[in-house]
Amino acid sequence: NRQVIEKKILHNFGLNIKAKDKTKYSFLPSPRINLYNAEIFSFSGGQNKIGSAEKITLRIPFKKLVNLQKLNFYSVELFNAKINVKSSAIKDFYKYIKNDKHKNPIQFTKSKINFLNKEKLVLSLDIKKLDILNEDLINKIRFTGEAFNSEIKIEYQHSNLNKRPTSIVTISFPEIGIRLNSNINFDKKDKIYYGKTRVLYPKNQFYFEHKLKKKVLSIYNSNIVNNSF
């Protein structure tokens, strides 16, 4: 039953989808269900269409093949998906990524995410592979693809261990040799984001500390190191 599968996807992965074509089952190379030509709806749980996927693969543990009603998928992969995220929905997208209720892995392959300001395209990410992993109090994202016509790799990790929110971001452009590493902490009492960032460029390194409070960004203790000399 397609509706049962769609409800399971929403429960297991927080993805609200509607498949248009037939559902196909396969047991090789591992048990899975394939959905085709699916529509993707708002990350906030609404019914606004934000994208589509040519194919969605749901992988099933062998021990849970008995009853569809009791079935839980352990991972989902979306192929040739296209998602449009408007500026008004970026917070919903971010909350979805950080939602540790959905612990099963989510993958996007050969896909695209467009960030829009109203209807105007601001940034387009061509996805080679995107992994979203949620473990206990830790959220991880691994992205490889293209942006600005250059190869880009992004790794993001957010943890809330000991109730101390901390994020680590790494962004690299291998073709031009740029790499950014940033640590971001959140002070709940004073509502301040603060941390340190290092930018590496061939023969140059740029270090600085930063603080964000009430939408005001401050940069201090900056230092540039030139290794040419």
Side-chain angles (χ1 to χ4, degrees):
N1 187 300
R2 188 185 303 169
Q3 290 183 340
V4 172
I5 295 172
E6 291 170 353
K7 288 181 180 179
K8 290 287 183 181
I9 294 172
L10 181 61
H11 175 73
N12 290 165
F13 308 104
L15 288 172
N16 186 5
I17 67 103
K18 300 290 182 185
K20 292 182 177 181
D21 290 349
K22 291 182 179 180
T23 301
K24 294 184 179 180
Y25 300 84
S26 175
F27 291 93
L28 295 174
S30 62
R32 62 190 61 199
I33 295 175
N34 293 317
L35 306 177
Y36 296 90
N37 294 326
E39 295 180 331
I40 304 170
F41 295 88
S42 173
F43 290 107
S44 65
Q47 293 300 314
N48 295 325
K49 181 182 174 181
I50 61 170
S52 61
E54 289 185 9
K55 177 183 174 182
I56 298 178
T57 295
L58 301 151
R59 293 177 176 84
I60 311 166
F62 273 103
K63 61 183 180 180
K64 297 193 175 181
L65 290 173
V66 180
N67 190 328
L68 181 62
Q69 296 291 337
K70 297 180 180 181
L71 191 63
N72 283 316
F73 308 110
Y74 71 80
S75 72
V76 62
E77 186 168 6
L78 292 84
F79 296 87
N80 295 313
K82 182 179 179 181
I83 296 178
N84 296 316
V85 180
K86 293 184 178 181
S87 56
S88 59
I90 287 178
K91 285 186 178 180
D92 294 330
F93 183 59
Y94 183 61
K95 287 179 182 178
Y96 172 76
I97 290 173
K98 288 176 58 179
N99 190 345
D100 57 10
K101 292 181 180 179
H102 309 123
K103 299 182 183 297
N104 298 344
I106 301 168
Q107 294 180 323
F108 289 83
T109 300
K110 296 180 180 179
S111 299
K112 181 188 288 287
I113 297 180
N114 295 320
F115 292 93
L116 309 174
N117 183 6
K118 296 183 179 179
E119 300 300 326
K120 185 178 180 180
L121 179 65
V122 176
L123 173 65
S124 182
L125 296 176
D126 291 310
I127 300 169
K128 182 178 180 181
K129 181 72 74 175
L130 171 63
D131 298 314
I132 301 174
L133 308 168
N134 291 320
E135 301 171 355
D136 292 334
L137 300 178
I138 298 177
N139 314 104
K140 296 180 181 179
I141 295 176
R142 292 193 297 263
F143 169 90
T144 57
E146 284 190 1
F148 311 112
N149 296 317
S150 297
E151 181 185 2
I152 183 174
K153 296 182 179 180
I154 300 173
E155 292 189 11
Y156 169 84
Q157 177 176 301
H158 175 82
S159 64
N160 196 23
L161 300 174
N162 301 319
K163 296 183 179 180
R164 296 178 61 184
T166 302
S167 298
I168 301 173
V169 182
T170 300
I171 302 174
S172 62
F173 292 87
E175 294 173 342
I176 54 180
I178 294 178
R179 181 181 178 88
L180 179 148
N181 298 309
S182 186
N183 297 319
I184 304 169
N185 305 290
F186 180 59
D187 186 327
K188 291 183 177 180
K189 181 180 178 180
D190 295 326
K191 296 183 179 180
I192 298 174
Y193 291 92
Y194 65 95
K196 298 180 180 180
T197 293
R198 179 177 66 168
V199 181
L200 304 177
Y201 189 72
K203 299 182 179 180
N204 293 282
Q205 299 182 40
F206 179 36
Y207 302 84
F208 60 91
E209 296 181 35
H210 42 82
K211 179 170 63 177
L212 179 64
K213 184 176 182 180
K214 295 182 178 179
K215 298 182 179 182
V216 177
L217 177 64
S218 302
I219 295 177
Y220 53 97
N221 292 337
S222 60
N223 186 29
I224 298 177
V225 178
N226 190 311
N227 297 320
S228 300
F229 305 100

